[in-house]
Amino acid sequence: MPYLADSIVAAARSRGYAVITDTYNSAGGLAQAIPETKKLAADGWIFFMGSPITDRTILHQPYPLVIVGDYDTQGLADWVTMPNVEAVRTAVGALLDSGCRRIALIGGTAENACPDADRESRPETTSTMRTRGYVLAHEERGLQVDWRLVRNADWVQSGGRDAVAGLLDDPDAVMCLNDALAIGVIHELQRRGVRVPQDMQVIGFDNVPDAEYCMPGLTTIDPHVDDYARHAVDMLIARIEGSADPFRTYVTSYDLVRRASTC
């Protein structure tokens, strides 16, 4: 999430702090990066978690840290996250209330179709949380989800492009679980002669800068990344300055930013 990194840098600089950034690959996970952090003279670290925290000992380090992302720290560290369920629930609800009845979900997972007992053994992911919002929006209106409209995909533009080929018939609208998927979907729909939004509406999630400038402009969920970054930085600085308060969780607010990809 480059735009999140930029927001964290801006927030830290506004508080008089410099920023060191580093990346780690998904195969090794955060455990691979931890030894490297101890070689750098940072007062504290903000870690973006791209997968569930399976080893909680990783949260016990000799320096202050804050976790950002969608994976619960179980009260073992300060944590900043987004309203994944509620935001998608609102966006899909808006489509349903406008008269759409066949809403495809790109980037979702049909794990949510399984009984609750089966789901409890699996850690929740960003995809399952956002899919849950999609399901709730339908259930609240007495509607059943057609799971054939839920398509898994890599969360990149090519993933959205490729997912269009697998859509069942022509849905009324497409809810994409990030903006990259949505931009890929719009590109492929237009290439196939499908008009957006006249023939099919499209919504994304994240409100990345490109969302405003794609054609048509993308309606998307804005999870207030600047606020997200500012709280993560403020939490970390409080720990650096000696705060021993109980660990906190902050969930950002969100807005549905309407642009030309929806009616």
Side-chain angles (χ1 to χ4, degrees):
M1 298 174 77
Y3 61 101
L4 173 57
D6 291 345
S7 295
I8 287 174
V9 169
R13 286 179 175 167
S14 73
R15 296 289 306 273
Y17 280 77
V19 176
I20 297 169
T21 61
D22 196 7
T23 59
Y24 58 93
N25 63 47
S26 57
L30 184 57
Q32 182 185 56
I34 289 293
E36 298 301 314
T37 65
K38 295 173 182 177
K39 300 175 184 178
L40 299 169
D43 296 318
W45 286 85
I46 295 172
F47 293 129
F48 178 79
M49 299 298 294
S51 59
I53 301 169
T54 54
D55 179 6
R56 296 182 186 176
T57 62
I58 207 76
L59 302 177
H60 301 289
Q61 297 301 328
Y63 47 72
L65 62 86
V66 172
I67 301 298
V68 299
D70 299 327
Y71 302 102
D72 195 343
T73 62
Q74 305 295 321
L76 298 176
D78 293 317
W79 176 37
V80 180
T81 189
M82 294 180 179
N84 291 289
V85 177
E86 288 304 318
V88 173
R89 183 181 187 174
T90 294
V92 173
L95 290 170
L96 291 169
D97 291 343
S98 73
C100 295
R101 284 298 176 268
R102 291 177 50 76
I103 302 172
L105 184 72
I106 306 299
T109 172
E111 288 179 5
N112 287 67
C114 300
D116 288 344
D118 293 339
R119 289 206 306 267
E120 286 175 0
S121 61
R122 307 187 190 100
E124 269 204 309
T125 66
T126 308
S127 179
T128 60
M129 284 185 276
R130 294 184 185 180
T131 301
R132 185 148 52 90
Y134 170 83
V135 173
L136 287 171
H138 284 79
E139 290 179 347
E140 289 168 351
R141 291 158 179 82
L143 302 171
Q144 288 191 330
V145 168
D146 182 349
W147 288 98
R148 295 173 298 173
L149 291 171
V150 177
R151 312 297 302 182
N152 196 0
D154 292 333
W155 287 26
V156 294
Q157 292 181 11
S158 59
R161 176 200 65 199
D162 296 344
V164 169
L167 289 179
L168 180 67
D169 300 325
D170 290 326
D172 304 314
V174 183
M175 177 73 223
C176 298
L177 294 190
N178 76 353
D179 287 345
L181 284 167
I183 291 169
V185 165
I186 289 173
H187 168 83
E188 183 63 14
L189 288 175
Q190 292 178 329
R191 192 188 71 80
R192 293 168 178 252
V194 178
R195 299 173 301 166
V196 178
Q198 296 92 331
D199 301 327
M200 200 177 302
Q201 301 183 62
V202 179
I203 296 181
F205 192 120
D206 285 333
N207 197 30
V208 300
D210 287 349
E212 183 177 0
Y213 299 107
C214 69
M215 293 296 291
L218 177 62
T219 295
T220 182
I221 294 161
D222 181 356
H224 299 171
V225 168
D226 287 345
D227 180 51
Y228 184 91
R230 185 173 61 255
H231 272 82
V233 168
D234 287 348
M235 283 179 171
L236 182 59
I237 291 174
R239 296 297 177 191
I240 290 170
E241 294 179 347
S243 172
D245 291 342
F247 292 122
R248 298 153 294 173
T249 296
Y250 180 76
V251 183
T252 64
S253 58
Y254 66 92
D255 292 308
L256 180 60
V257 178
R258 296 180 181 272
R259 298 192 180 100
S261 68
T262 54
C263 299

